[in-house]
Amino acid sequence: MQAAAPGAVDGAKEGKGKILVVDDDRLVLATVTHGLAKAGYEVIDADNGDDAILLAREHRPDLALLDIRMEGKSGFDVAAYLRERKVPFMFLSAFSDDATVAQVKALGAVAYLVKPLDIGQIVPTVEAAFARLPAQEPAPAAPAAESPPDPVWIAVGVLMHRYSLTRGEALARLIAQATHEQRPLRAQAERLVEAVELLAGSARPT
């Protein structure tokens, strides 16, 4: 299968929003790009962080899906750039150690999904992220206050990694924990993410 050229817009669908997808694995990149285009999104792709930043500057996507570990600029580097430009982003990564999770949260990702993933798991998360985005202004306006990351999706990513669960199983486990401890789902997720951050902090050399 021939990989799409970096920066190519897959298809002509523009109704649901514009997404930048960044992954140095060409198969993953092609699969995610094709799946999101079929779901009705306009998709721009890049296989490295440097191209991703250039494309983000040129096309101003509504959302970005970022791999974390790449040659050159990492997904974290791209996320830092996008954060300055108020472009929301989520991570798709095979890495979910405590320090990575803490960095994901610190950068303000709207979601964090752990590979391997299929497009059926990614599209609902993308749709949920778009549902939380503020309406786009037709003209430049004063920047709105930055939304905090949704801790539910970060907590789901943590549970997927630690217990080898699918996204649905991880979400069900989080809901079960919240019900058992009589907490709102968001509060239970925040508690889990805070515990991971504490573990990551204690593991760092002083």
Side-chain angles (χ1 to χ4, degrees), residues 35-59:
L36 290 174
K38 282 187 65 177
Y41 295 97
E42 179 185 356
V43 186
I44 306 158
D45 63 24
D47 61 6
N48 64 81
D50 295 287
D51 284 347
I53 289 175
L54 292 174
L55 289 168
R57 183 180 301 141
E58 178 181 356
H59 294 282

Side-chain angles (χ1 to χ4, degrees), residues 59-203:
H59 294 282
R60 180 101 183 158
D62 302 305
L63 178 70
L65 277 62
L66 308 174
D67 187 22
I68 291 178
R69 299 193 184 179
M70 299 181 288
E71 291 292 329
K73 284 186 169 59
S74 70
F76 289 153
D77 295 326
V78 178
Y81 172 81
L82 295 175
R83 183 179 182 181
E84 290 179 357
R85 298 177 68 88
K86 309 298 183 186
V87 176
F89 52 87
M90 64 177 64
F91 290 108
L92 310 178
S93 177
F95 301 94
S96 59
D97 54 275
D98 293 343
T100 299
V101 172
Q103 181 72 355
V104 166
K105 184 172 184 292
L107 284 166
V110 298
Y112 176 45
L113 298 178
V114 180
K115 297 176 183 177
L117 294 160
D118 59 46
I119 195 64
Q121 295 173 295
I122 295 171
V123 169
T125 306
V126 167
E127 291 177 343
F130 267 92
R132 297 195 299 272
L133 296 182
Q136 296 296 315
E137 296 290 340
E146 191 169 333
S147 301
D150 190 335
V152 172
W153 299 118
I154 296 176
V156 164
V158 172
L159 292 172
M160 287 173 66
H161 171 69
R162 294 205 168 178
Y163 300 103
S164 300
L165 302 175
T166 66
R167 179 176 174 275
E169 290 169 342
L171 180 58
R173 184 173 187 134
L174 185 64
I175 292 170
Q177 290 174 347
T179 302
H180 177 71
E181 299 188 19
Q182 298 183 336
R183 286 192 182 90
L185 182 60
R186 184 183 179 91
Q188 182 67 22
E190 288 173 342
R191 185 168 177 264
L192 177 65
V193 173
E194 285 171 3
V196 168
E197 287 184 308
L198 286 173
L199 285 172
S202 65

